[in-house]
Amino acid sequence: MNSPMIRVILGHIMKIEAAFMLLPCIVAVIYGENVGWTYLAIACITALLGVFMTLKKPADSVMYLKEGSVATVLGWVVLSLFGCLPFYFSGEIPSFTDALFETISGFTTTGASILSDVEALSHTALFWRSFTHWLGGMGVLVFLLAIVPLSGGSTINLMKAESPGPSVGKLVPKIKATARTLYLIYTALTLMQIIFMVIGGCSLFDAVNLSFATAGTGGFGVRGDSLASYSPYIQWVVIVFMILFGVNFNAFYLITLGKIKDALHVEEVKYYLLIILSSTAIIFINIFRTCKGIEEALRTSFFQVAAIITTTGFATADFDTWNTTCKIVIVMLMFVGACAGSTGGGIKVSRFIVMFRTIKKEMNTYIHPKSVKKIMLEGKPVEHEVVRSINVYMGTYIMIFAISIFLVSFNELDLITSFTAVATTINNVGPGLNLIGPTCNFGFLTPFTKYVLMIDMLAGRLELFPLLILIQPKVIKGFFERRPKVKKAE
Amino acid sequence: MLTINKNKSGLKIIIVGCGKVGSTLVEQLTQEGHDITLIDKDPARIQAITNAYDAMGILGNGATYSVQKEAGIDDADLLIAVTDSDELNLLCCTVAKRVGKCVTIARVHTPEYSKEAKYLKDKLGLEMIINPEYECAKVISRILYLPTAEEVSSFAHGQVEMVKIRLPEGNKLDGKRVMDIGHDIMANIVFCGVERDGQVFIPSGQFILKEGDLISFVASRYDTKRFLGKIGFKTGQVKDTLIVGGGKGSFYLADMLIKSGIEVRIFEKIKERCEVLSVLLPKAIIINDDGAGEDALKEAGLETVDAFVPLTGIDEENVLLSLHAKQVSNAKVVTRISRNNFKGILDNMDLGSVVYPKYITSDAIIAYVRARQNTKDSNIETLYKMFDSKAEAIEFKVESESDLTDTALMNLKLKDNLLIAFINRHGEIIFPGGHDEIHVGDSVMVVTTHTGFNDIRDILR
């Protein structure tokens, strides 16, 4: 294991985080809030530690998938640990567990909160909370690859561990250029949303925060009722952008190249939109009698479907009060998730497409046992390795899910709450049902349950395997192993 | 590891086929900061290379229009086709020429096409045709003409040779400073690199030579022989050569050697191939035998032969044969290593001169790429990687005036670890001193441990 290289990566992550922590300081200056000093102090300490860790250059810069995964997971842990310090030391979230929960929920773009009163937080804290979504959405390692000149091609292994989806492709030959392009598209879309929201009369602060939360498909709001009290126009803007951020970024890249036709033909996006439309229709039929008009019913159902499938987790209505069909649809959407290569969580539409095709193929082999058929996706045959890894992913997912529910059950909650608590965190959605519904929060859970859910959030964001690799004894041992000095033969 | 890539603007290069040469090219071209897209039919190979290097892989047949489109042929600068099949390579380039506006390079290695390389190049509009086996044979033949050298390469259209020798025990140069070597020995010789314990030095006058050093120097062929004779090396070419394996490389090598009067014996185990060779090379002795047997080699005269070159398709076999030959004879041994997986071990073995065909090919292409990338004043004529790419010898053509030209070399602020080996002024070779100047129209050879030079002005601080 190349631990010096991992150390350097972690150092870089800390430096980046420290740099970004200066942004809330600016907010503090604007609103004249004293908490800014806490952020500044923590930023300085983090930066110093980061510089210290990157001082000594490793002899060997090669990273295999193993190192990539370990660096990614540790990177996210470090990111969360330092990210939660301002909340804790400023006293706005007095419990360390709660502060960590809130930060992990932020970086993993879950948006599950332990706060009972969001509006009591300072502007600085609200901004930092939303910003964690933005950084976590596209991924801090992708950011690292975009700006830090790490030599060698093996850095693809960092991106592999962090990017959502069954397989990682590059947009352009160079990984750095790929990472830059991704962040460019991401930033441009975020800016567009901010502009649209400000035009609609939203205050700049709210617009920036909500755009960050939408871009990362996070879901932290700045008001107690999430998005319910905003104007219909703003809600529509958020709906459109939530759906956009759930789209595979390859499609946006094709659009920037002017290949709009190709972008519209991305299979995954087509199915993604199909699921959104049909779910909206089902919910619309079920709730439209309780709403004041067709527009409201359409907006509410559309908003909730978009918020859940992209795993953003905003709310404009308390869907916990809807009928069972609607609730089931909502829970199912949590599992589906957004497209691969987007900022959303969940299992991902492309995995479902491949899985359904595998089932179809399996049924076909019952009829024609010797038939040979390749599974196709985006008009290309899917390698057997990919199919296999998707199947294993599903199995692992179910197992982790089951273990988590079992662990959460010690908290003596009802079945619906326990089930949706795990579902909403592992899929990085945010709100669940019953006791943790859109109008409630996670604050009342026991610390043990919170830690279980935190691990679920990280597992969901990093797509299970990197996290599982890290807890293997062999890997942990390898981390401390020094390469033995080989005696040179004369 | 955190080397800042001073990448100016990388070229967009498409490589079709990622075998030995393809993957070496990916490795070296990504290091130089180019955008590499590679095309291959084997997903596992693409996976392996894209995991190791910063390149994008595309699965498919590189000769098809749609795959080339997907690889971005429209704005590619260069397409290099290095699959195993000559026909496919030529087709790739022809298609690319029609679809995009890029420069194309094809590998063509069967003798039939190779003879017509120039015709093919012109008619199909290719910019470059490379033949790794042929180039490799050329390198080996140069060594056999001067068997005391470890490596010989030529510059300035053959007027200057760079020769690498290993300083033997008790040589008169051992322990001497470079500046103390008498002028009668050193006349018209420039030491341009010394490798000691894996480290490469560009020697100054103060540098002290030691036994076991690998010394590279440049000189004309005449001066080389004179110099080597003075310091006690033999300077004649070999009289006969034993080659094991009758592949394409062996054919090219045997052909060259026979033309310069060297007797050639070739071992080849396949009867049909032997017959083909015997028609192609009537003057050679073709032996239909494995060549891996001790007795057969003895019978063929391994113990008394002047040179032994194992060219079987398997590296391990070549290495074993070389080790064996070193044990039983005094022959000059040249070992060809195609894959180069365990460089560290090979370096510690006594294999005689070692040649790496894949580097020979990729060096030629990289020289071409660097010259392409450079738009302005000077051009790379030859690029030669010395000491496993730890140093480079680059021949620049100076085509316009700059800060460098018409200034005495002693007044130029040159980078460290750099040496101007010679100046070629209209065919006259000058081994420069401090008072010499570079003029427009000169070719200048620079030896340096820096990498990535593509303009003569890069030598300035």
Side-chain angles (χ1 to χ4, degrees), chain B residues 8 30 36 44 47 52 73 77 110 115 126 152 161 188 249 251 271 273 292 323 335 344 365 370 373 393 437 449:
Chain B
K8 288 150 196 173
T30 46
I36 311 294
Q47 192 68 41
I73 192 76
D77 299 300
T110 45
K115 277 184 192 156
L126 310 184
V152 183
E161 281 178 340
N188 293 332
F251 161 73
K271 187 90 197 294
R273 179 70 189 159
L323 290 175
T335 313
I365 291 179
R370 284 211 201 148
Q373 193 182 15
E437 293 172 0
T449 51

Side-chain angles (χ1 to χ4, degrees), chain A residues 61 151 160 170 173-175 380, chain B residues 1 33 35 51 54-55 70:
Chain A
S61 67
S151 70
K160 268 194 182 155
K170 287 183 182 175
K174 273 194 200 137
I175 191 153
K380 280 183 188 161
Chain B
M1 58 119 227
D35 284 7
N51 275 348
D54 197 357
E70 196 184 340

Side-chain angles (χ1 to χ4, degrees), chain A residues 11-301:
Chain A
H12 281 305
I13 289 177
M14 285 162 76
K15 283 195 273 189
I16 289 172
E17 183 169 26
F20 280 130
M21 231 181 251
L22 297 176
L23 292 175
C25 297
I26 297 170
V27 176
V29 170
I30 294 170
Y31 288 93
E33 290 170 341
N34 281 331
V35 284
W37 294 109
T38 321
Y39 285 81
L40 191 62
I42 292 166
C44 291
I45 294 168
T46 315
L48 272 177
L49 281 172
V51 169
F52 180 68
M53 280 169 79
T54 47
L55 267 186
K56 203 174 150 222
K57 307 252 180 292
D60 183 6
S61 67
V62 177
M63 286 195 300
Y64 298 103
L65 188 54
K66 176 176 64 182
E67 276 94 355
S69 305
V70 172
T72 308
V73 177
L74 289 181
W76 278 73
V77 171
V78 164
L79 195 68
S80 308
L81 279 176
F82 283 90
C84 81
L85 294 180
F87 293 136
Y88 180 59
F89 282 111
S90 66
E92 297 197 73
I93 302 178
S95 142
F96 181 76
T97 310
D98 283 356
L100 190 61
F101 187 94
E102 195 77 5
T103 314
I104 290 184
S105 169
F107 278 122
T108 59
T109 72
T110 307
S113 180
I114 46 78
L115 295 165
S116 49
D117 186 8
V118 177
E119 288 166 47
L121 285 184
S122 62
H123 286 86
T124 317
L126 282 174
F127 179 85
W128 179 237
R129 212 168 76 111
S130 305
F131 189 78
T132 56
H133 277 332
W134 193 79
L135 188 57
M138 191 48 84
V140 67
L141 288 160
V142 175
F143 189 81
L144 180 102
L145 292 173
I147 60 158
V148 179
L150 292 160
S151 70
S154 53
T155 43
I156 181 91
N157 286 327
L158 283 176
M159 198 150 152
K160 268 194 182 155
E162 194 179 48
S163 295
S167 66
V168 176
K170 287 183 182 175
L171 301 174
V172 286
K174 273 194 200 137
I175 191 153
K176 189 173 183 162
T178 302
R180 281 198 174 159
T181 315
L182 285 175
Y183 258 97
L184 210 68
I185 296 172
Y186 190 47
T187 316
L189 280 173
T190 314
L191 281 175
M192 264 161 70
Q193 190 187 350
I194 295 176
I195 292 166
F196 273 113
M197 288 181 76
V198 170
I199 291 172
C202 184
S203 75
L204 185 63
F205 182 78
D206 285 17
V208 168
N209 277 283
L210 291 178
S211 298
F212 281 167
T214 315
T217 66
F220 281 151
V222 288
R223 293 192 192 167
D225 60 357
S226 191
L227 259 85
S229 57
Y230 290 90
S231 71
Y233 166 80
I234 287 180
Q235 290 185 10
W236 278 111
V237 170
V238 173
I239 291 171
V240 170
F241 277 92
M242 280 194 294
I243 293 172
L244 284 180
F245 282 109
V247 168
N248 192 329
F249 271 54
N250 282 355
F252 292 129
Y253 179 65
L254 288 173
I255 290 173
T256 59
L257 292 183
K259 298 179 185 166
I260 297 170
K261 231 181 180 178
D262 291 351
L264 291 175
H265 280 96
V266 177
E267 209 174 356
E268 189 180 13
V269 178
K270 274 200 277 187
Y271 280 102
Y272 166 72
L273 297 176
L274 194 72
I275 297 170
I276 293 180
L277 289 180
S278 45
S279 312
T280 308
I282 295 171
I283 293 182
F284 176 76
I285 293 165
N286 276 292
I287 64 164
F288 116 98
R289 248 172 271 142
T290 60
C291 291
K292 280 178 208 135
I294 292 182
E295 192 271 344
E296 193 193 307
L298 193 63
R299 173 158 47 83
T300 311
S301 46

Side-chain angles (χ1 to χ4, degrees), chain A residues 95 97-98 101 113-116 408 410-414 416-418 420-421 432-437 439-450 453:
Chain A
S95 142
T97 310
D98 283 356
F101 187 94
S113 180
I114 46 78
L115 295 165
S116 49
V408 168
F410 299 149
N411 208 342
E412 288 297 333
L413 300 166
D414 62 294
I416 292 179
T417 309
S418 308
T420 55
L433 292 173
N434 213 1
L435 294 177
I436 49 161
T439 54
C440 316
N441 64 69
F442 286 68
F444 67 95
L445 299 170
T446 60
F448 176 75
T449 312
K450 280 179 190 160
L453 296 181

